[in-house]
Amino acid sequence: MEYIAGVAGAVVLVLVLSSIIRTLVVPRGLYSVLVFRLWWTLRGLLRLTAVRGGYHAIDRSQTWLAPLMLIGMLASWLAGALLGFGLLLYSLSPLSWATAFREAGSSLFTLGFASGARLKLSVLDFIAAATGPVLIALQIAYLPTLYAAYNRRELEVTLLQARAGEPAWGPEILARQWLVDTETALPALYRAWERLASDMGESHSTYPVLLTFRSPRPHRSWLVGLIAVMDAAAMQLALDPRLAPPEARLVLRAGFTALRDIARALRMPFDADPSPDASIRLPFAEFDAAVAMLESAGFRAERPPEDAWPHFQGWRVNYEAIAYELCRRCDAVPALWTGPRDFPGGPIPPDRPEDRRPREGRPELPPATG
């Protein structure tokens, strides 16, 4: 019995140490079973509190997912360390189960109220005493990194609101620029999101817990914003390739590369080299309606929708499947062109400010549908 307890304790400690190093130390997107099982468990429990609600109920409940994840990871690691050291102490001494775990807890949390008088247990006691503070220190040092990446992300998502509405939608970005004659600002927008996409691909694959951090407002989402910017770039390249800025290609490349990096960290299957002729889930009818909306805003396409569709499809096939699955897993706001969700309700079109210019206001855009 003591031999089995010793082997089990060593295995538990190795698993806990591996999870800590994978999550907090190694600068690469390594998969941690504990972290992702905790994610799905907490997500499912929180969804039970909004089982009959739509998106806004889901958003309110999932707001607690990120803090619960951080607390849950620390509690799971400490509990695992307590279990592992308790089993080892039991296997290497004549201590009872209760006394072994009491001594392990005393050492792990550096309380020092219980200790054995046996020299051969001192090494385990010292290791346990070092494990608790080191683990808590790593978790504390982990938080500034997370919140720095979160703040960089949310700054660009907030700036996008004036260009794309809430929730963001790719055609809306283009329509608003042509509606107010600011289309020359699109290259700067693409450059900013190219850099942000690269940043998110690195940070969100290295620290997947960032995927659970929601935006301060319910209709904002970093993922929906990225899809909107990529759709805007793909539409511009497909409809007007001669005048589309080169930054449009760059942001598309950076965007689907970031999504693939995150998918690899989540062990999500995807086609790394899809055919440009492969089908996509977005129907042509919605694309055609979006082009008509753009034309009403003053956008003049070089290609008609029928000719532009294969080019748009060839761009979108690189990121649509991953984007839809991530939106579903993250319970992102159900914006247009972002796929289905696990909760009831249809897509939410972007809000639009009224044109308040005196005497020369342009006609309102047709309503967005999806």
Side-chain angles (χ1 to χ4, degrees), residues 163-252:
R163 300 170 183 254
E166 289 185 0
W169 183 39
E172 187 79 6
I173 295 177
L174 298 179
R176 290 196 182 196
Q177 307 319 303
W178 263 265
L179 193 64
V180 295
D181 301 321
T182 57
E183 61 271 16
T184 55
L186 280 171
L189 174 69
Y190 294 150
R191 282 194 298 270
W193 277 82
E194 177 194 359
R195 179 173 294 275
L196 179 63
S198 301
D199 187 347
M200 291 191 298
E202 185 275 330
S203 60
H204 288 55
S205 59
T206 303
Y207 307 113
V209 71
L210 279 168
L211 297 171
T212 66
F213 280 64
R214 302 183 75 83
S215 294
R217 293 182 57 169
H219 283 183
R220 289 180 190 166
S221 166
W222 67 272
L223 185 53
V224 168
L226 179 59
I227 296 170
V229 173
M230 295 171 72
D231 282 342
M235 288 192 74
Q236 195 171 7
L237 287 167
L239 292 166
D240 197 5
R242 188 169 53 87
L243 297 180
E247 289 85 355
R249 291 178 177 270
L250 298 177
V251 74
L252 278 165

Side-chain angles (χ1 to χ4, degrees), residues 248-335:
R249 291 178 177 270
L250 298 177
V251 74
L252 278 165
R253 179 70 186 181
F256 67 70
T257 299
L259 291 177
R260 290 176 181 181
D261 287 343
I262 296 172
R264 291 188 186 96
L266 301 182
R267 293 188 177 180
M268 184 190 303
F270 65 90
D271 187 353
D273 187 22
S275 170
D277 299 324
S279 61
I280 60 176
R281 296 169 66 178
L282 182 72
F284 171 74
E286 293 188 20
F287 175 79
D288 189 33
V291 174
M293 183 200 68
L294 291 180
E295 291 176 348
S296 69
F299 184 92
R300 294 294 174 259
E302 180 182 339
R303 291 173 175 150
E306 294 78 9
D307 294 341
W309 172 249
H311 298 275
F312 177 77
Q313 178 181 332
W315 283 113
R316 204 171 204 262
V317 74
N318 290 289
Y319 59 89
E320 185 190 72
I322 299 176
Y324 280 17
E325 179 62 15
L326 283 176
C327 283
R328 186 190 67 81
R329 294 190 184 192
C330 295
D331 295 310
V333 55

Side-chain angles (χ1 to χ4, degrees), residues 38-49 62 65 331:
L38 182 64
W39 180 2
W40 298 126
T41 300
L42 291 175
R43 176 176 177 256
L45 291 175
L46 289 172
R47 286 176 61 85
L48 292 177
T49 64
Q62 295 300 315
L65 180 57
D331 295 310

Side-chain angles (χ1 to χ4, degrees), residues 13 61 103 106 138 170 180 215 219 223 228 292 321 339 347 352:
L13 287 178
S61 68
E103 181 166 333
S106 171
L138 284 174
V180 295
S215 294
H219 283 183
L223 185 53
R352 288 173 176 161

Side-chain angles (χ1 to χ4, degrees), residues 79-105:
L82 175 62
L83 175 62
F85 284 117
L87 290 172
L88 284 176
L89 286 170
Y90 173 78
S91 68
L92 296 175
S93 70
L95 299 176
S96 65
W97 286 104
T99 305
F101 279 96
R102 183 169 178 265
E103 181 166 333

Side-chain angles (χ1 to χ4, degrees), residues 46 49-50 53-65 214 218:
L46 289 172
T49 64
Y55 168 69
H56 289 88
I58 292 291
D59 178 71
R60 285 192 298 271
S61 68
Q62 295 300 315
T63 299
W64 294 97
L65 180 57
R214 302 183 75 83

